[in-house]
Amino acid sequence: THFHLLVLLIAIMIDSFSIFTKGGLVLWSKTFCKIKGAPVDSLIKKVLLEERTGENQVTFDPYILKWKLANELELIFVVVYQSILQLLYIDELLDAVKNSFCSSYASEIKQNQLEGFNFDSTFEDIYRQCEENAKEKKRPRQMKSFLDTKKGQEVLQMTKDEKRDKQLKQKKQQEQSESERSENEQQQSQSESENSEADKNSIDEAREQLRKRMSRTGSGRKVAPKVEKVTPPSTKEARQPRVWDGPSETFTKKDSLLFDRSKSNNGDDEAAFNDMKNKFLPSADETYQEEDDDSGLDEEESPRSESQANRSSDNGSRRTGGGLFSKLTSQIKNFTGNKVLTEEDLEPVLKQFRTGLMAKNVATDISQKLVDSVMTSLVGKKTASFTSVAATVKATLEESLERILTPKRSIDILAEALAAKKQGRPYVIVFVGVNGVGKSTNMAKVCYYLKQKGGLSAMIAACDTFRAGAVEQVKQHARCLEVPLFERGYGKDPAAIAKEAVKFARENEINVVLVDTAGRMQDNEPLMRALSKLVNVNNPDLVLFVGEALVGNDAVDQLTKFNQSLADLSTEHQPRLIDGILLTKFDTVDDKVGAALSMVYTTGQPIVFVGTGQKYTNLRKLNVKTVIRALLA
């Protein structure tokens, strides 16, 4: 009835409850009030697809979403409620609904009969029961007196026993004290008589000694003569000026000309420029490689059966001790198929997997979150027939890593720049990052890439007005690339310089503007404020964070604080954050590629390029499978 429905809507404090498969098919859903936006869609995109299920709660203002996984049936249970409410029964509600739904419809789900689930009345009963349980827990209970409790009875009995023992002890002590008092009185009277006679003798001896001393000393006293102190003469020499090593002649004006660098020497400048060209410009036989080097064959290129892969990995482990995954699964690889996985089965394996990830330069908290997510997605899941637990865990780990590293947003700089050219406007890229990671050099690589691949005209804007020599460094790159440089010297406002550069590019029909910014530590508030101003004023098409592949835990701190500063210091309602990552020095880390995983997991943004050398052609796209093999090797 309408009345019953109205009462139910008033009583139920949650906004909606949904049950859907991991493939996205909704089996049952109930909405109790109008919901703003699409919080469940945000949960799927930002949490479930990005392997962030280690925690079971997320906040999308103004809602809190909690979920439970039923891995045995590949189901997800999600509840949505207002963040201002403190509902203590949500976890109990999720567990009860999960157990009831799975037990009632397990056979239908396994037979792929995924329609016609009449779960409304059952859900109402479960909700009422959970709410009643919560009220019962919150209801104040009449407290028992202490003596009514078991502990109180024990204390009372102990008190009686102690009182009886104390009385017996006091009586015994009283008898002992009386006997001791009589003995002490006798001893005291005897010692007093002896002490009185000894005191009289000692007084007489003291008087006699004083009389003799007074007779020896005369009436006058001798005064010792005063001795005057003689201060020795000071032997400290006067301070002499420092004499430096070298010739004794003075430094003349002729000598200073040798150190004068104010006038350029064309011969020396040309030689330095030629050295720079040889250092950065590729030779005729050096070309681009679209993805970073994949020394091994992908699974599609070299299909092998699981048994062959297991035999080869076993042989390799006997020869060389095995890779990380071989060590991790050695404890459980003897389990057979059709086994329901439990936390006890997975915990030792995933613990060692976490240690292995940290050894590969993955940040500590990222490693823990990934392990928790994999644990959540595997508990309760049954392994396939003739499939070991090791193979199941490995497949899940590979899927999780691939899901994290695969870009959710496709960033094709070349395609976007060509699209901007058709619109008659310049494509603007801002490069940001900490000091010394290679922003200027990798900016020049991107410029060379756009020129060679797309035939686009480019211009570099020198907006690093803080570091000495930054403009001169970018000027040399501009000469090598044969592109114009827009610069206004040092000490100027970087945001204003970038704005002028974009205007100049629009007027002169330049296709791409690459903005070089000052390197700054993530805790430098004045420089972070200037960077936020530059991004907000110019609204670039792409904000690229340039980071090193060598860092581990610091990568998370850098990216988090850069994003946080851009958000906090922005005056816009929806501030611009980091859009993508350019990872430098990727050729120096061997298999320690964990920084790539940490950065992508932290921001959810893709790695656009990786730098693999100093040449302008040493710029490649990330091969996800290569990184996964390196992490699990």
Side-chain angles (χ1 to χ4, degrees):
T1 64
H2 295 288
F3 177 76
H4 176 71
L5 179 60
L6 179 62
V7 172
L8 179 64
L9 292 177
I10 294 174
I12 290 184
M13 303 296 291
I14 63 175
D15 289 17
S16 74
F17 199 105
S18 302
I19 305 173
F20 52 90
T21 66
K22 290 187 178 180
L25 180 63
V26 178
L27 303 184
W28 180 85
S29 179
K30 191 75 173 178
T31 302
F32 302 99
C33 63
K34 187 176 180 180
I35 295 180
K36 299 178 182 178
V40 177
D41 292 345
S42 300
L43 171 70
I44 295 172
K45 293 176 182 178
K46 298 182 180 180
V47 178
L48 301 180
L49 292 180
E50 293 188 6
E51 205 62 38
R52 300 173 188 269
T53 56
E55 300 178 356
N56 70 333
Q57 175 177 317
V58 69
T59 301
F60 295 123
D61 196 43
Y63 300 108
I64 293 178
L65 285 79
K66 281 193 172 185
W67 64 91
K68 288 281 185 181
L69 303 182
N71 294 312
E72 63 275 11
L73 297 177
E74 300 289 323
L75 299 181
I76 302 173
F77 298 79
V78 180
V79 61
V80 182
Y81 62 97
Q82 296 285 337
S83 58
I84 61 173
L85 300 177
Q86 299 293 330
L87 303 181
L88 304 178
Y89 54 85
I90 296 298
D91 290 328
E92 182 183 356
L93 176 65
L94 283 168
D95 289 332
V97 171
K98 172 187 169 183
N99 295 335
S100 177
F101 191 86
C102 291
S103 61
S104 301
Y105 302 108
S107 59
E108 289 86 343
I109 295 173
K110 290 178 181 179
Q111 296 172 9
N112 289 328
Q113 298 176 6
L114 305 179
E115 294 181 357
F117 296 103
N118 187 11
F119 194 65
D120 291 11
S121 59
T122 306
F123 178 81
E124 293 172 11
D125 295 339
I126 294 173
Y127 183 86
R128 288 197 198 94
Q129 184 62 43
C130 292
E131 197 172 40
E132 286 296 326
N133 294 341
K135 290 180 180 179
E136 184 66 25
K137 292 178 182 178
K138 293 170 64 176
R139 186 175 296 135
R141 298 179 180 179
Q142 184 178 1
M143 294 184 63
K144 295 181 180 180
S145 64
F146 180 69
L147 296 179
D148 293 337
T149 63
K150 183 178 179 181
K151 185 68 176 177
Q153 294 296 327
E154 293 177 356
V155 172
L156 181 62
Q157 184 64 34
M158 290 174 60
T159 305
K160 292 180 179 179
D161 295 341
E162 289 177 357
K163 186 176 181 180
R164 185 178 62 254
D165 295 341
K166 187 176 181 180
Q167 291 176 351
L168 294 174
K169 187 176 181 180
Q170 287 178 350
K171 184 176 180 180
K172 186 176 181 180
Q173 288 178 350
Q174 186 176 3
E175 294 176 353
Q176 291 179 352
S177 61
E178 290 178 356
S179 61
E180 290 176 356
R181 189 183 303 113
S182 59
E183 292 177 0
N184 291 336
E185 288 177 355
Q186 295 177 0
Q187 292 177 358
Q188 184 176 2
S189 59
Q190 184 177 356
S191 60
E192 284 178 356
S193 59
E194 294 175 355
N195 290 337
S196 60
E197 186 176 352
D199 291 342
K200 183 178 179 181
N201 295 334
S202 61
I203 292 172
D204 293 340
E205 291 178 359
R207 287 177 178 175
E208 184 65 25
Q209 290 178 0
L210 179 63
R211 191 180 298 110
K212 291 180 180 179
R213 192 180 304 115
M214 294 296 294
S215 62
R216 284 200 303 268
T217 57
S219 60
R221 292 185 178 180
K222 295 181 180 180
V223 180
K226 292 184 179 181
V227 180
E228 296 183 358
K229 292 184 179 180
V230 180
T231 304
S234 176
T235 58
K236 187 176 182 181
E237 298 180 358
R239 186 170 182 176
Q240 300 296 327
R242 181 185 292 274
V243 179
W244 298 96
D245 296 335
S248 58
E249 293 83 10
T250 58
F251 194 77
T252 63
K253 185 176 181 180
K254 183 178 179 180
D255 296 330
S256 65
L257 294 176
L258 299 175
F259 298 94
D260 188 4
R261 295 290 184 268
S262 61
K263 298 179 179 179
S264 61
N265 189 326
N266 293 331
D268 293 343
D269 286 350
E270 194 64 29
F273 176 64
N274 290 331
D275 290 342
M276 189 171 183
K277 288 176 65 176
N278 294 331
K279 181 179 180 181
F280 291 105
L281 287 175
S283 58
D285 57 342
E286 290 180 314
T287 58
Y288 275 105
Q289 184 173 349
E290 289 300 321
E291 292 186 344
D292 62 323
D293 186 21
D294 191 2
S295 57
L297 293 175
D298 289 342
E299 292 179 3
E300 294 83 5
E301 298 171 350
S302 177
R304 298 189 301 170
S305 66
E306 183 182 339
S307 60
Q308 290 173 332
N310 290 337
R311 285 198 298 270
S312 62
S313 62
D314 291 342
N315 293 335
S317 63
R318 282 194 293 268
R319 290 193 303 268
T320 63
L324 168 64
F325 195 80
S326 298
K327 296 175 182 177
L328 297 182
T329 57
S330 61
Q331 300 180 26
I332 59 174
K333 65 182 180 179
N334 293 326
F335 289 166
T336 59
N338 292 322
K339 174 179 173 57
V340 177
L341 298 175
T342 62
E343 290 188 6
E344 289 74 17
D345 299 331
L346 299 170
E347 188 173 355
V349 181
L350 293 178
K351 183 178 179 181
Q352 294 183 40
F353 173 68
R354 175 177 174 271
T355 304
L357 281 179
M358 289 190 292
K360 297 294 179 69
N361 244 6
V362 179
T364 304
D365 55 340
I366 302 299
S367 304
Q368 186 60 53
K369 289 178 181 179
L370 180 59
V371 165
D372 292 342
S373 179
V374 173
M375 174 78 79
T376 303
S377 62
L378 281 178
V379 170
K381 191 173 183 179
K382 183 181 290 187
T383 61
S385 300
F386 306 106
T387 303
S388 64
V389 177
T392 304
V393 174
K394 182 177 182 180
T396 305
L397 293 175
E398 289 179 348
E399 290 174 5
S400 301
L401 294 174
E402 187 170 0
R403 200 156 42 237
I404 293 170
L405 292 171
T406 301
K408 310 302 176 295
R409 171 197 171 192
S410 179
I411 297 180
D412 190 338
I413 292 181
L414 185 58
E416 293 180 5
L418 290 171
K421 180 183 178 181
K422 290 182 179 180
Q423 298 171 6
R425 65 176 183 85
Y427 185 77
V428 183
I429 309 174
V430 174
F431 294 81
V432 303
V434 299
N435 310 75
V437 296
K439 285 187 303 301
S440 301
T441 302
N442 285 274
M443 178 192 64
K445 292 180 184 180
V446 174
C447 181
Y448 186 85
Y449 172 82
L450 294 173
K451 282 187 62 180
Q452 295 296 317
K453 290 287 185 179
L456 298 169
S457 59
M459 182 181 71
I460 297 176
C463 295
D464 185 355
T465 62
F466 182 77
R467 177 173 64 90
V471 176
E472 288 75 12
Q473 180 188 8
V474 176
K475 186 181 293 183
Q476 293 298 323
H477 282 299
R479 286 184 65 189
C480 289
L481 296 165
E482 298 180 355
V483 298
L485 174 69
F486 191 92
E487 56 97 3
R488 291 291 182 265
Y490 296 97
K492 305 296 188 339
D493 182 12
I497 296 175
K499 189 173 183 179
E500 292 180 30
V502 174
K503 181 180 178 182
F504 179 86
R506 185 179 294 108
E507 293 173 351
N508 293 272
E509 296 183 352
I510 297 174
N511 306 135
V512 182
V513 179
L514 300 105
V515 181
D516 181 41
T517 62
R520 64 206 75 206
M521 296 307 294
Q522 59 268 27
D523 298 318
N524 192 326
E525 196 270 342
L527 286 180
M528 292 304 301
R529 186 176 295 276
L531 177 63
S532 179
K533 179 183 176 183
L534 185 150
V535 172
N536 292 324
V537 168
N538 295 280
N539 192 23
D541 295 278
L542 191 65
V543 179
L544 277 184
F545 178 86
V546 183
E548 281 185 336
L550 302 170
V551 296
N553 287 322
D554 201 34
V556 177
D557 186 58
Q558 291 173 8
L559 272 170
T560 302
K561 290 187 176 178
F562 261 82
N563 258 339
Q564 192 65 40
S565 297
L566 290 175
D568 293 344
L569 302 176
S570 174
T571 57
E572 302 294 328
H573 179 65
Q574 291 185 341
R576 283 294 303 278
L577 304 178
I578 292 169
D579 299 315
I581 302 165
L582 197 159
L583 206 56
T584 67
K585 306 175 185 177
F586 201 71
D587 56 321
T588 63
V589 295
D590 295 329
D591 62 342
K592 292 180 173 56
V593 295
L597 181 63
S598 299
M599 290 183 177
V600 173
Y601 195 94
T602 300
T603 61
Q605 302 300 338
I607 294 178
V608 182
F609 292 112
V610 292
T612 58
Q614 287 190 335
K615 298 284 187 181
Y616 288 151
T617 52
N618 297 141
L619 190 71
R620 302 171 184 174
K621 295 181 180 179
L622 184 69
N623 189 317
V624 174
K625 292 186 177 180
T626 303
V627 175
I628 293 173
R629 279 202 297 272
L631 289 172
L632 296 180

